[in-house]
Amino acid sequence: MRSYIQKTQSASVALRSIALLIFVAFLFSGCAQPVTPVARVDTEDTRVEEIVAKADAGMKPADLYEQVYTTKRVVSVILEGFTSEENMRALADIAVEYDVPVVFFISYVDASDYPDAAKYIANQGCELGNYGLDGEKAMQNNTPEQNAKAFYKTQYAIQIAAERTPSLFRCNGSEYTDELLSIAAASGLQAGVEPSSYLNHRSFSSYGNALNYVRKLQRGSIISIKLGQELDDDEYGDPGSELDERPAIDKKPTLTDENLFSDDDTYSNTLNVFTWLLDTLQEEQFDVVSLKSLERTKQQDTAVHSLSESELALYNSDNYTLPLTDESLGATLTDTVPDTYFDGAVFVGDSISLRLQTYVEVQRESDPDFFGTARFLTSQGFGVGNALWQISSDSRHPAYDGTVMTVEDAVAAMGDVTRVYIMLGMNDIQYYDVEEFINNYRTLIYLLRSKTPGVDICVQSITPGTAGRTSVPTNEDIFLYDLALAKLCAEYGYTYIDVASALRDSTGALPETLCSDSSNLGLHLNESAVEVWIHYLRTHAVPAAD
C-alpha cells in the first residue's frame, strides 16, 4: 500500500482548496444521508480540540459490532481499504447485484484521491464507513488528538466526496480501547467494527475454496475482505492442518471454476473472492445482513449454573500435568442398569461411535434385546462443525431410514426419543478453536432441543489416542477439548459422560491393547475398548427426561 505521505501528495486541488469549509450541522448526528456542505469559520484544530474535550467530559464510548452467538444462519460482510477505481466500482456493482448490505470502509486519503469512486459506491446504495487517515494500524497507541484528527478528516473527506456522513468506523489492526471508542463517539461515529474472519485477494483460487471456507464459517460472523493489502499474521485464522488419518478429516471440495474476473491487476482476484463468497453463502443458505441486524440476532447466554472458582479449576488444563483427571467428570457411579435403560436412546457420532454401533448390531444377532432399542446416527468423518452444514452430495450427515438428514431432523423423525448421546469432536479439533467448537456444540444442541423439546442431552467425551500419536489431534488436544465439553455441560445443565476417563492409561493415552489401529492412526477402538465403553454407560446412568 502507498504511504500516507505519497498518497496525500496526489490529493486533488479541489479538496485542498476547500479545507476551510465546515461540516454541516448534522455531521456528528451519525446520519448517513446526502448532505449539502456549507461554509465553515472555525479551523480543523478547533474541531479536533472540541472532539477531545467532549470525550474528556465523559462522552459515552461508541458501540462495537463483533461476532455474535446465534443459531441463525446469518453473517455480515464488510470491505476495508482500496484497490483501483475500476475494482471499487465493480465491487459495488456486485453488492447491488446480490442485494447484500455491505459496508465499504474508505480512508481520508482514498476519499480525497478518488472522490468519484466514493460517490459511485454511495450512489449504488452501499454504506460508507470511516477507515482513518489511511487505514493506519495500532491506533490505540496514538494520542487522543491524533485519533480525533484522523476521524474528523476522514468524515469530512467522505462527506465532501460522496455527500454521506459515515456512522461506522473500522480501526485496522487496532485494539478498540474505551478511549478510542470515546474519541470516535465524540467525532459523530456510532459504532466500530471488529471482524471475526478476514479474506483478501489471495484467499480463494476457486469456488471450491470458498465453499470449504463457508462451510466452516461460524454463524454470526463478521467477514472482512481487505482490499489492496495483505493480511496480518493474526488475521489468517487457523484453518487447520491436514490430518494424516481417515476418516478423521473433512472431504475437500473438488468443484473448481475458471476465474470470473482476470486481468493484470494484482488485486483483480478480489472480485472473484467477493463473488465466490456470496455464491457459496447462498448455497449454504446463509443470509448476509447488516451489522445492526446481526446484532439483533444475538442470543442471550442460557447457562443455568454459575460455576465456583473450585469448579472452574476442574476445567482448566493448566492445572494438570498430564492429559487426564484424577477422577472422572460429570455423571457419577451408579448401579448397573439393564438393557431397557437404553430404550429410546440415540447415539450420534463419527467413526468412533460407528464402532459402537457395529458391536451392538453383532450382539443383537444372538440377543435381540441387547442395549435396548438404542439407535444410531453415525458417519465417518462426522463432526459437530459439519453437522451444521446444509445437506449436500459431499456432506457427512448420517442417514435415517435410508435418507440422509441433519441430526436434529433425524431425531425428530424418530418420534420416541428420550435421550441423545453425542460424541463428536475428533474431526473438529484441527478446524476450530475451543471457543468455536463449543459454540458449534451449543448450536447443535439448541437445534436438537428445538425440534425435539424435552429430550435429555448426554455429551460423551472425545476418546484418547495411543501414546505414539504426535499429529493433530494429540492427546493434549483431545484433553483440552474434553475439559471444555465438561465445562459446557456443567454450565448448561447437560449430562457429561466421561467415557475417556475409562479408556485412558496412567499417562492419559489409549492403551494399544484397546486400539484397533495402533500401528497406523492410533485413534480407533477395538472390541475390548467398546466393552469398557458400554460398561461405563451402564454404570453412569442418568434419569430419563421428564
Side-chain angles (χ1 to χ4, degrees):
M1 178 180 287
R2 295 166 296 164
S3 70
Y4 169 67
I5 294 177
Q6 289 174 321
K7 295 176 80 173
T8 51
Q9 287 176 343
S10 63
S12 67
V13 174
L15 281 175
R16 292 198 300 270
S17 69
I18 58 175
L20 295 180
L21 291 179
I22 186 173
F23 283 115
V24 293
F26 66 89
L27 172 60
F28 296 107
S29 67
C31 179
Q33 300 301 315
V35 297
T36 303
V38 297
R40 59 175 286 183
V41 294
D42 56 341
T43 66
E44 179 180 289
D45 289 342
T46 299
R47 291 299 302 129
V48 169
E49 290 174 1
E50 290 174 353
I51 291 170
V52 173
K54 188 182 293 186
D56 288 343
M59 186 78 181
K60 180 183 177 182
D63 294 329
L64 183 62
Y65 290 136
E66 301 177 278
Q67 177 180 341
V68 302
Y69 172 72
T70 178
T71 58
K72 299 181 183 299
R73 301 183 71 82
V74 292
V75 297
S76 289
V77 178
I78 68 170
L79 299 100
E80 53 178 300
F82 203 92
T83 61
S84 65
E85 285 191 89
E86 181 182 5
N87 282 347
M88 297 301 289
R89 291 170 184 263
L91 289 167
D93 291 341
I94 292 169
V96 172
E97 178 184 351
Y98 283 80
D99 192 24
V100 292
V102 301
V103 183
F104 284 77
F105 286 92
I106 305 294
S107 72
Y108 160 77
V109 170
D110 288 318
S112 301
D113 280 356
Y114 307 106
D116 290 342
K119 188 167 186 177
Y120 182 87
I121 293 169
N123 288 344
Q124 288 294 84
C126 299
E127 185 172 359
L128 292 174
N130 187 315
Y131 201 46
L133 290 177
D134 195 23
E136 65 273 28
K137 300 180 179 180
M139 289 182 68
Q140 75 276 6
N141 296 330
N142 293 346
T143 65
E145 289 76 14
Q146 288 174 319
N147 286 329
K149 186 173 184 178
F151 288 136
Y152 171 78
K153 287 174 70 70
T154 307
Q155 291 289 86
Y156 181 55
I158 293 174
Q159 186 269 318
I160 292 298
E163 298 182 339
R164 298 292 190 276
T165 303
S167 62
L168 301 176
F169 64 99
R170 167 86 182 111
C171 295
N172 185 21
S174 302
E175 177 186 352
Y176 288 93
T177 62
D178 284 344
E179 180 184 83
L180 184 55
L181 292 171
S182 294
I183 290 292
S187 302
L189 292 158
Q190 294 180 352
V193 181
E194 182 70 289
S196 54
S197 185
Y198 296 86
L199 303 171
N200 73 351
H201 57 288
R202 301 184 191 276
S203 295
F204 307 142
S205 60
S206 71
Y207 183 93
N209 295 153
L211 183 60
N212 204 34
Y213 164 83
V214 167
R215 283 177 168 172
K216 295 180 177 67
L217 192 64
Q218 295 274 290
R219 303 180 187 202
S221 292
I222 300 176
I223 306 164
S224 166
I225 300 180
K226 303 195 81 170
L227 308 177
Q229 54 190 308
E230 300 295 341
L231 300 184
D232 293 336
D233 289 343
D234 61 352
E235 293 174 343
Y236 280 100
D238 185 16
S241 58
E242 294 289 342
L243 280 182
D244 61 352
E245 47 248 23
R246 295 292 186 272
I249 182 172
D250 284 323
K251 179 181 178 182
K252 288 290 185 182
T254 57
L255 176 64
T256 59
D257 286 342
E258 294 182 358
N259 285 354
L260 306 176
F261 305 93
S262 181
D263 57 31
D264 294 333
D265 184 350
T266 302
Y267 301 111
S268 63
N269 194 52
T270 304
L271 305 179
N272 296 314
V273 169
F274 190 31
T275 302
W276 287 328
L277 173 66
L278 297 180
D279 281 337
T280 52
L281 285 170
Q282 286 185 355
E283 179 172 339
E284 285 297 301
Q285 298 183 27
F286 275 97
D287 288 329
V288 179
V289 301
S290 69
L291 291 159
K292 285 185 178 180
S293 295
L294 186 73
E295 187 71 17
R296 286 194 290 267
T297 69
K298 183 178 181 179
Q299 295 180 219
Q300 295 300 314
D301 196 322
T302 56
V304 295
H305 299 296
S306 179
L307 303 182
S308 65
E309 289 187 11
S310 60
E311 288 173 320
L312 290 172
L314 286 174
Y315 312 117
N316 186 343
S317 61
D318 293 338
N319 294 328
Y320 301 93
T321 56
L322 292 172
L324 78 165
T325 57
D326 295 333
E327 298 180 357
S328 61
L329 302 175
T332 56
L333 186 66
T334 65
D335 292 336
T336 303
V337 296
D339 285 322
T340 54
Y341 170 79
F342 297 100
D343 288 348
V346 176
F347 286 80
V348 177
D350 52 24
S351 58
I352 306 298
S353 294
L354 183 58
R355 184 68 183 85
L356 173 66
Q357 178 181 351
T358 301
Y359 179 89
V360 170
E361 289 173 347
V362 170
Q363 296 302 310
R364 284 175 175 169
E365 292 177 1
S366 58
D367 180 5
D369 295 326
F370 185 81
F371 222 47
T373 62
R375 288 166 288 186
F376 297 86
L377 292 171
T378 61
S379 176
Q380 283 192 320
F382 200 40
V384 68
N386 56 33
L388 303 178
W389 292 8
Q390 295 297 295
I391 300 293
S392 69
S393 60
D394 59 351
S395 66
R396 296 302 184 94
H397 297 88
Y400 169 64
D401 200 20
T403 302
V404 175
M405 305 172 71
T406 63
V407 170
E408 63 271 20
D409 285 342
V411 170
M414 291 177 177
D416 57 351
V417 177
T418 58
R419 188 181 302 114
V420 177
Y421 291 87
I422 309 172
M423 182 185 281
L424 294 171
M426 190 74 78
N427 300 292
D428 296 276
I429 293 174
Q430 75 274 24
Y431 292 116
Y432 302 99
D433 63 28
V434 171
E435 182 179 358
E436 292 171 335
F437 172 68
I438 293 301
N439 281 345
N440 284 341
Y441 238 104
R442 288 172 61 192
T443 299
L444 179 59
I445 292 172
Y446 174 89
L447 295 173
L448 273 166
R449 302 188 87 176
S450 65
K451 291 290 184 75
T452 311
V455 68
D456 193 21
I457 300 295
C458 298
V459 176
Q460 299 181 92
S461 53
I462 309 167
T463 54
T466 56
R469 280 191 54 79
T470 57
S471 58
V472 176
T474 65
N475 281 325
E476 288 73 20
D477 294 328
I478 292 170
F479 183 62
L480 177 66
Y481 282 64
D482 276 344
L483 290 177
L485 284 175
K487 180 173 179 284
L488 169 72
C489 292
E491 289 179 322
Y492 286 78
Y494 310 134
T495 299
Y496 183 67
I497 309 291
D498 195 1
V499 175
S501 67
L503 296 172
R504 290 187 173 109
D505 63 17
S506 60
T507 68
L510 177 71
E512 292 193 7
T513 56
L514 297 179
C515 184
S516 65
D517 53 10
S518 58
S519 62
N520 182 15
L521 306 180
L523 286 174
H524 294 91
L525 308 180
N526 61 21
E527 184 174 297
S528 296
V530 173
E531 290 172 350
V532 172
W533 182 357
I534 291 177
H535 177 73
Y536 192 88
L537 292 171
R538 290 185 185 277
T539 57
H540 291 77
V542 294
D546 294 333

